[in-house]
Amino acid sequence: MYYPQQSPGIPHKLSNHHDANPWRLPILVQQPGQQSSVGPPPPSPGYALYNNGAIQHHPGHHPLQHPPLQHHHQSSMSHYPSPPNQHTHQQQHLIAAQGSPASTTPVATPQWQQQLMKCEMVRASRSPHHRARASAMASRTVAKSAIPITNPNLVKPPPTPDQSNGGMGDGSPDGSPVNGNGVVNSQRPSTPGLMTETSRPTAIKPPENTWTSLDMGGVNIKNLPSTSGLFGFTFLINLYLNHNALSSVPLEISKLRHLELLDLSANNLNSLPPELGMLSQLKEFYLFDNQLSTIPPQFGSLHQLQTLGIEGNPLDPMLKTMVQKDGTRALITYLRDNCPVETDPPERVWKHLIPPQEQEVLAKDPNVETCSIMCYNILCERCATEKVYGYTPSWALAWSYRKGRILDEILKHDVDIICLQEMDIAQYEDYFTANLSQHGYEGVFWPKSRYKTMKESDRRLVDGCATFYKADKYKLVEKHLLEFSAMAMQRQDFKKTDDMFNRVLGKDHLAVICLLENKHTGSRLIVANTHVHWDDAYRDVKLVQAALLVEEVEKIAHHFAKYPPPPPGFNGILPPTSEASSSSGANGIDDSSDAASTSASALDEPSSSRPPPTPAPIYRPPPIYTDGSKIPTIVCGDFNSLIPSGVYEFLNNGSVPPTHPDFMSHTYGRYTSEGIRHRLGLKSAYSAPGAPAEALITNHTPTFKGHIDYVWYSAANMTVNKVLGEIDPAYLDKVVGFPNPHFPSDHIAIASEFRIKPPRETAPSRQPSTPSS
C-alpha cells in the first residue's frame, strides 16, 4: 500500500526489523515540508536524493550512525503491509536521526547503490503505461523554438557516473520518448555496453520501424501465450512488462534479439526460461520484486548487461552477495564460467555434389586426380579477449583449450591442403608445425609486416597466413608473399592518390601463394591463402586488396606455366621403350618366353586359389600447360565480405565497373577509371549446384552471422566433388555466438574436394611401364 500523504506515483514500503541484510538502505520518513528521498548509508552527510540520475545531499544534516532500517520487498506491490500508526512512525524517525554511538553501518558499494536507485525508479512506475505517459508529458512540456539558440561558449560537461550508467534524461525514466498509447519512440538507451564487440563486416540491425519501444506495464496482464503477436515485433529495443500478474514468461521472448532493455519487475515469476540468455544485446534487465530464488546459468551469455535487477527476490544468498559486492558483471561472469556444457552438436557431414553412380565410376578410375582443401580462420590468441568475446566461458576462450580443438577439427577431415588465417608466429613454430608434421604435412607461413618493427617478445604474437600440404602428395615448387600495402606503393597509378595513403597503406593484410606439383602425376596447382581487411567502412580497401591479389595470381600463373615439366621417371615410373612396346602383346602384357612361361605347379594350381595378378603401374606423361589459365588455381581465405558485395562480384563475375558503389567514390588509379577484371574464371565451391551457398554460416557472433569465408576455384580445369556441410541450424539457433566449448573460433572451417581436369593437350597414356628383360 501507499502512504496516504504521499503522491500515488512514488511507492514507499515499510521497514522490516527482522531482515538483517546489512546492504539495504535506510528508509527515511517524510516529515511535513520535507522532500521524500532514498539515500545511501553513511558516511554521506544528510539524506541522499536521486535527482535526474545524480545523487544530491541535504546540506547541514549530520550523518547517520545507527544500523539502517530495512525495506521488506515482496513479489507484488499488493503484498505490502499497511503503514504503521503515526506514533510508531515518528519514533522510528527519531531513532534514525539520533543514531546509536555503539552501532556501525556497512558501506554499500556503488554497484548496489545503483541497483537500489533503479529499483525505486521501477517501483515508481506501477501505474498503467507509466513510462509512456511520463514521456509523453515530458515531450509536450518542452518548448521548441523554430530557430535553435545555443551558447557557442558553452562547454558540454562530461556525463556523471549516474548519467552514464543508467541516468535518465528527458522523457521516460529510461530516456525513451513516446508517441502515446504505450508506444515509446525509437531511442536507444544512452548507456553503452561494457563488453563491446569489434566491428564485423555487417552488424545485425533491427528491422526498420517507426517505433522500437513498447510499454505494457501496470495493466494486469496474467498470461503471455507463446503465440502472442508480441514476439513478432523483432524490431523492439525496449520492452516494459512490469507490474503485471505474470507467473511465467514464454521462451518465445528470446526471438526479440534486439532488446536492450527488458523490465519484468513486480510480477509473480518464480522461474525464468534459460532462452532469455539469447538476448545478448540486453544492457538493462529488471527483475525486481518477483519470487525468483535462482538465475539460470545461461544468463552468463548476457555479456553486455550492466544491470540485472534482483532486489526484492528471495534469491540465493551467494548470487545476491556477488551483485551486492561486485555488481552485475561479477554475477554474469560466474554464471558464464559455470554454465553446464550442452551436448555436442551433430557432426558436420560431407555433401556430395555428384550422383552416386558417377561417384562409383570415379572411384574405380585410376586416372582421376582429386585435391581436397580446408580454409579456416582459427582466431589467434592475441585477438581472443574477454572484452571482445565476453559471452564465451573463460576456460573455453583460453588458448590452452582452443588449440587442441582447432587441431582436432583440422585432422578430422584429412584434407590434402590446409589454409589457416590468424596464425601467429609462436603457435606456428611451437604447436602447429610440430603436430601437423606428425601427420605428414609441411607448411609455409608469413606474418603481417608489422612484426618487422617489434621486439622479439611482441613479434611472436603477430598473426599471418599459413598453408600446409601433404608432403607425400605435393612438392613445393615456389612460395610467394603478397603484402597488399607494399604492392599498392609500387603501382604508378596509385602513388599520387590520397586515398591510397590514407586508406590502403595503413592496412598490413597479406596473402601467401604456394606453387605445388603433384609428385605422382606431375600436375600443378596454385593455392592462394589470404586474409582481407574486416571493416565494412573500408569496402573500397577490401576491393582493392582482392584486385591486387588476383592480379598477382595471374602473373605468377603465367610464369609457372613456362616451367618445364618434370623429367621422365619423376614419380618412379619409367616410360615404355620401343623394345618393350614391340614385345608387348595387344593387351600390354609381355609375350617373351620367360614372361609367358608358367611352371607346372602353377598350371596344376586351381584358378580359384591363385591371387589376381597385380596390374602394372601405368605411365602417364605429366601435363603441359600452354597458358597460366590452364593451371588449376584455388584462392581461399577470410574475405570479410558477404555474397552481395563488390569483392564477391569481382571474384565471381570477373569484373566490376569503375563506378561500383564499394569503391565509395575514392580514387585508385586505373581501378576507378577503367574498372577491374580478371581471367581466372573463379567460382565459389559452395555456390556449386547442391552446395549450401546461401545457408552457410562461416562467422557467428552475437552481432553478426554470415558467409564471409570462401574457397574459389578455376572452373575451367576443376570441378567440385563435395563440400563440408553446414552446422546444424537447430544448434545455431540455441547458440549466442562462437567461440564456445564446441567451436574454438568465431569462424568455422570450410572444406571442398575437387576433381582435376587434365589439359586437353596431354591425354593420359595407358601403355605399360615395365620393359621386358
Side-chain angles (χ1 to χ4, degrees):
M1 293 179 61
Y2 293 109
Y3 292 109
Q5 70 269 28
Q6 293 174 333
S7 168
I10 303 177
H12 285 261
K13 297 183 181 181
L14 261 185
S15 58
N16 179 15
H17 298 281
H18 300 288
D19 189 348
N21 189 343
W23 293 94
R24 300 194 185 275
L25 295 181
I27 179 70
L28 302 175
V29 181
Q30 179 181 353
Q31 296 297 317
Q34 179 186 12
Q35 276 189 306
S36 175
S37 62
V38 176
S44 301
Y47 301 117
L49 299 178
Y50 182 62
N51 184 13
N52 195 25
I55 301 177
Q56 298 180 355
H57 301 278
H58 286 293
H61 195 284
H62 61 83
L64 304 180
Q65 299 177 351
H66 64 84
L69 301 175
Q70 312 295 336
H71 287 290
H72 180 65
H73 302 311
Q74 302 204 14
S75 62
S76 172
M77 300 293 286
S78 61
H79 295 166
Y80 289 167
S82 301
N85 56 44
Q86 185 67 23
H87 176 72
T88 306
H89 201 179
Q90 290 177 351
Q91 285 182 341
Q92 291 178 349
H93 178 68
L94 290 174
I95 294 174
Q98 295 173 0
S100 172
S103 63
T104 59
T105 302
V107 178
T109 62
Q111 296 91 339
W112 191 242
Q113 293 180 25
Q114 195 70 246
Q115 168 109 181
L116 295 184
M117 286 188 288
K118 291 182 179 181
C119 178
E120 295 303 325
M121 175 196 73
V122 170
R123 287 170 179 162
S125 307
R126 67 172 298 175
S127 57
H129 308 301
H130 173 88
R131 292 179 173 90
R133 291 185 293 104
S135 297
M137 183 179 299
S139 62
R140 286 196 299 267
T141 58
V142 176
K144 297 183 179 179
S145 58
I147 301 177
I149 302 175
T150 59
N151 180 3
N153 299 320
L154 180 63
V155 178
K156 185 178 180 180
T160 64
D162 294 321
Q163 291 171 336
S164 62
N165 291 279
M168 304 301 147
D170 296 335
S172 67
D174 64 355
S176 300
V178 312
N179 58 8
N181 298 323
V183 176
V184 188
N185 288 338
S186 173
Q187 180 174 334
R188 293 175 181 264
S190 59
T191 307
L194 291 179
M195 295 296 178
T196 56
E197 185 179 0
T198 54
S199 300
R200 297 292 164 187
T202 302
I204 297 179
K205 298 178 181 178
E208 293 293 334
N209 201 64
T210 55
W211 52 276
T212 58
S213 299
L214 182 62
D215 184 357
M216 299 172 63
V219 293
N220 199 34
I221 299 175
K222 297 182 179 179
N223 181 43
L224 275 179
S226 60
T227 57
S228 172
L230 170 65
F231 306 128
F233 295 164
T234 56
F235 52 81
L236 285 178
I237 295 176
N238 303 313
L239 177 60
Y240 304 95
L241 293 169
N242 55 291
H243 294 92
N244 285 301
L246 296 173
S247 58
S248 65
V249 178
L251 60 86
E252 283 75 13
I253 197 172
S254 63
K255 296 179 181 178
L256 307 180
R257 297 291 175 87
H258 302 287
L259 282 181
E260 296 183 6
L261 187 151
L262 177 59
D263 191 351
L264 296 174
S265 301
N267 282 282
N268 299 317
L269 302 175
N270 54 26
S271 65
L272 295 169
E275 287 78 7
L276 281 170
M278 296 297 296
L279 303 180
S280 59
Q281 301 301 304
L282 276 179
K283 298 177 176 63
E284 300 289 322
F285 190 8
Y286 301 145
L287 300 169
F288 302 117
D289 300 328
N290 279 286
Q291 297 290 342
L292 300 172
S293 59
T294 189
I295 301 295
Q298 289 79 5
F299 282 22
S301 59
L302 302 180
H303 63 294
Q304 299 196 65
L305 198 61
Q306 295 186 30
T307 303
L308 180 63
I310 61 170
E311 174 67 356
N313 288 279
L315 198 63
D316 184 315
M318 181 188 72
L319 301 180
K320 186 170 184 178
T321 301
M322 289 183 188
V323 180
Q324 289 173 331
K325 291 184 177 180
D326 301 309
T328 295
R329 283 302 314 160
L331 175 60
I332 295 301
T333 300
Y334 171 81
L335 296 174
R336 179 198 67 196
D337 291 345
N338 291 276
C339 182
V341 178
E342 301 290 337
T343 56
D344 290 350
E347 287 288 339
R348 299 172 65 192
V349 297
W350 287 85
K351 288 192 173 183
H352 291 270
L353 307 183
I354 55 179
Q357 298 81 1
E358 187 176 352
Q359 295 177 31
E360 293 179 6
V361 172
L362 294 176
K364 295 177 181 178
D365 189 349
N367 295 319
V368 172
E369 180 182 348
T370 61
C371 170
S372 57
I373 188 168
M374 171 184 285
C375 176
Y376 194 9
N377 182 325
I378 64 172
L379 181 61
C380 65
E381 182 179 10
R382 175 182 57 85
C383 296
T385 63
E386 184 177 354
K387 181 177 181 181
V388 179
Y389 302 98
Y391 51 88
T392 305
S394 58
W395 58 267
L397 193 60
W399 180 249
S400 58
Y401 173 83
R402 292 198 304 116
K403 65 180 181 181
R405 299 286 300 198
I406 292 170
L407 186 64
D408 291 344
E409 179 71 11
I410 293 172
L411 296 175
K412 178 173 30 178
H413 303 293
D414 191 31
V415 296
D416 298 325
I417 301 170
I418 306 164
C419 293
L420 306 177
Q421 302 87 43
E422 290 199 28
M423 168 76 73
D424 63 47
I425 298 174
Q427 298 307 327
Y428 175 80
E429 295 176 349
D430 301 340
Y431 185 75
F432 285 98
T433 298
N435 283 278
L436 290 176
S437 64
Q438 297 177 10
H439 296 271
Y441 289 96
E442 293 181 1
V444 175
F445 169 73
W446 264 296
K448 294 176 180 176
S449 59
R450 70 184 71 170
Y451 85 96
K452 301 174 185 177
T453 62
M454 295 180 173
K455 57 184 180 180
E456 181 63 26
S457 59
D458 294 333
R459 71 174 57 180
R460 285 177 56 80
L461 299 178
V462 176
D463 66 288
C465 295
T467 301
F468 295 89
Y469 56 91
K470 283 191 173 179
D472 61 347
K473 184 173 183 178
Y474 290 103
K475 177 181 71 172
L476 179 66
V477 179
E478 281 184 9
K479 57 184 179 180
H480 296 264
L481 167 65
L482 307 186
E483 295 179 332
F484 298 132
S485 58
M487 294 169 64
M489 281 288 291
Q490 295 170 5
R491 290 181 62 97
Q492 295 298 324
D493 57 335
F494 275 20
K495 284 191 175 180
K496 295 183 180 180
T497 60
D498 293 337
D499 291 328
M500 193 276 288
F501 286 102
N502 297 331
R503 299 180 69 81
V504 176
L505 195 59
K507 315 295 186 299
D508 62 347
H509 296 80
L510 55 82
V512 173
I513 300 179
C514 294
L515 309 185
L516 302 174
E517 185 177 272
N518 192 308
K519 292 182 176 181
H520 308 292
T521 65
S523 63
R524 296 173 183 174
L525 180 64
I526 300 174
V527 178
N529 177 14
T530 189
H531 191 184
V532 172
H533 186 60
W534 59 268
D535 194 349
D536 200 51
Y538 289 83
R539 299 186 302 277
D540 54 322
V541 175
K542 299 182 188 184
L543 196 48
V544 168
Q545 290 178 346
L548 291 170
L549 168 62
V550 173
E551 259 186 27
E552 197 65 22
V553 169
E554 286 185 307
K555 294 177 183 177
I556 292 173
H558 177 71
H559 290 289
F560 197 20
K562 296 180 180 180
Y563 290 10
F570 69 95
N571 55 359
I573 303 175
L574 296 174
T577 62
S578 58
E579 180 183 350
S581 300
S582 62
S583 62
S584 299
N587 296 325
I589 300 175
D590 196 339
D591 290 332
S592 64
S593 58
D594 292 340
S597 61
T598 308
S599 64
S601 60
L603 290 173
D604 295 338
E605 188 177 346
S607 60
S608 59
S609 63
R610 291 197 303 265
T614 302
I618 299 175
Y619 173 78
R620 289 190 299 166
I624 299 174
Y625 302 97
T626 58
D627 182 76
S629 62
K630 303 295 191 298
I631 302 177
T633 301
I634 295 175
V635 180
C636 66
D638 178 3
F639 288 86
N640 278 311
S641 302
L642 293 165
I643 290 181
S645 66
V647 171
Y648 187 92
E649 182 180 338
F650 167 64
L651 294 172
N652 189 68
N653 300 342
S655 65
V656 294
T659 57
H660 195 281
D662 277 11
F663 279 123
M664 303 173 67
S665 301
H666 295 291
T667 303
Y668 297 107
R670 291 197 303 271
Y671 287 177
T672 50
S673 62
E674 303 173 7
I676 51 178
R677 59 188 57 86
H678 68 83
R679 298 187 305 112
L680 292 179
L682 299 175
K683 294 296 177 182
S684 171
Y686 280 83
S687 66
E694 298 293 338
L696 182 67
I697 302 298
T698 68
N699 180 236
H700 182 27
T701 66
T703 58
F704 178 79
K705 188 162 63 171
H707 183 177
I708 59 175
D709 302 83
Y710 301 91
V711 176
W712 299 93
Y713 69 100
S714 52
N717 39 47
M718 304 176 74
T719 58
V720 186
N721 285 347
K722 59 184 179 180
V723 296
L724 185 59
E726 69 273 24
I727 298 175
D728 178 36
Y731 172 82
L732 283 178
D733 289 340
K734 300 177 182 179
V735 175
V736 170
F738 299 153
N740 69 4
H742 301 132
F743 292 90
S745 172
D746 55 347
H747 293 249
I748 68 166
I750 56 176
S752 307
E753 182 188 86
F754 300 99
R755 184 169 73 255
I756 307 296
K757 300 178 184 178
R760 294 181 180 179
E761 292 81 356
T762 56
S765 173
R766 295 181 179 270
Q767 295 179 348
S769 60
T770 305
S772 60
S773 57

